[in-house]
Amino acid sequence: MIEPSIQGVIARNSHPAGCAAFLRSWAARCRAPNSSSALSAGPRVLVLGASSGYGLALRTVLLQEYAARTLGVAYERGPSGQYSGSAGWHLSAAFAELAAEQGLPGETLMLDAFAPASRQTVIETIRRDFGQVDLVVYSLAAGQRTVDGRKVRSAIKPAGAPYQGYQLDLATDKLQPVTLEPASSQEMADTVTVMGGEDWQQWMTALQEADVLAPGARSVAFSYIGPASTWPLYRDGTLGQAKADLHQRAQQINAQLQTLGGGAWVVVAKALVTKASIFIPGMAPYLMALYAVMKEQGVHEDCLDQMQRLCRSELFAEQVHTDSDQLIRLDDWELAEPVQQAVDARLALLTPDNFMQYGDYQGVKQEFLAMNGFGIAGVDYSDEGA
Ligand code: NAI
């Protein structure tokens, strides 16, 4: 029997049958492929960062609603000895099974996407299995990247002044004060190296040079901007610098893909609980208040909802809609005035003593557990073979 093992905001294990049930619950919320749309005729898609969060959600929508043939890349550990294997590993296995039931490819290569050798492996796999791809989804969230033999680590820090906030401990159900010291210029630069757009651009250049991008090929990567209340922590800090770099590279990648009649966009998505976002120190109070308000106002979306909106309203619509910075904005509901006013009001009152009252702690924790395969309806957790 596998019980959840949590340390702070990190899941130390996962539940295989629970992960499969979690993915199936996403699949069940998708509608059947609509063959009347020319664009929906089985696109061939490469998903970098395919095993969890936004990448997995988009891949699921593409399979279920557009009969996509997908190749995934992720960095996950399988079971060994006492270790259950990471959630992403089991979710990827469940995805492959789901795709196979529909007679479609859905393999995930467990590779370090930052390594040049991995690009070569992926290019060869695309050539062999797909010929070319129509869409490349870049959804990596990583803490480090090896560049020319040097391990570069990202730092989640503010710029200029220290940031004081609160960090969740999901193991003890506590909210604790946290102070983040300002980033050094080296930490800024390193975070841009890990989480900026350089790697995305290298991927797109390598794929284009290898002639595995189909005519009209597109690419999307994800970003976050958030409301002013989060800017000291996010937009103005190391992660925001990295995202600014991503936005700027998107314009260059877009120009590259236009030579194929395609295009590249950054999708600004909503703040949601994922392995990556829950790890950001200081972000939890905002996430909890946001969940509470958006649910109360009936506008809450999860990763799957966001990706359905991306496909239906943008990627497979007549036209892609962007703001003046060429960004696709899926954060419009999050940033709506009534939502942010109510979030600010809650944040002004929220403390370690009352965060369960002003924030949707239960919702956040439940989502965290679910994405690791725990607490899923219909799964028999007492069955040792499950
Ligand atoms: P996640 O942690 O759920 O997924 C990250 C994926 O990257 C996983 O599939 C993981 O296996 C893969 N990965 C990490 N390092 C890798 C490596 N070296 N090689 C291959 N694969 C690797 O994260 P999430 O939240 O879905 O993030 C994806 C993107 O979405 C990020 O760019 C993030 O900044 C962005 N985003 C996230 C938001 C959120 O609230 N979660 C909001 C807006 C944007």
Side-chain angles (χ1 to χ4, degrees), residues 49-55 73-76 111-114 139-142 195 222-224 234 243 269-272 274-277:
S51 62
S52 65
Y54 278 117
V73 176
Y75 211 33
E76 304 287 351
L111 295 172
D112 177 6
F114 294 126
S139 188
L140 296 186
M195 283 297 288
F222 296 104
S223 181
Y224 184 67
Y234 196 98
K243 292 304 185 189
K270 178 192 174 188
L272 281 171
T274 64
K275 194 170 61 182
S277 69

Side-chain angles (χ1 to χ4, degrees), residues 54 222-227 267-274 277 283 286-287 290-295 298-303 305-307 309 328-335 339-340 367:
Y54 278 117
F222 296 104
S223 181
Y224 184 67
I225 294 176
V267 178
V268 184
K270 178 192 174 188
L272 281 171
V273 177
T274 64
S277 69
M283 199 67 179
Y286 175 74
L287 270 176
L290 183 73
Y291 270 48
V293 169
M294 291 188 84
K295 286 180 182 175
V299 289
H300 180 71
E301 293 171 296
D302 67 5
C303 286
D305 295 314
Q306 282 261 297
M307 294 302 97
R309 190 140 76 91
I328 296 176
R329 303 302 295 259
L330 294 180
D331 59 345
D332 47 351
W333 299 3
E334 172 183 355
L335 296 186
V339 169
Q340 287 305 320
E367 235 169 70

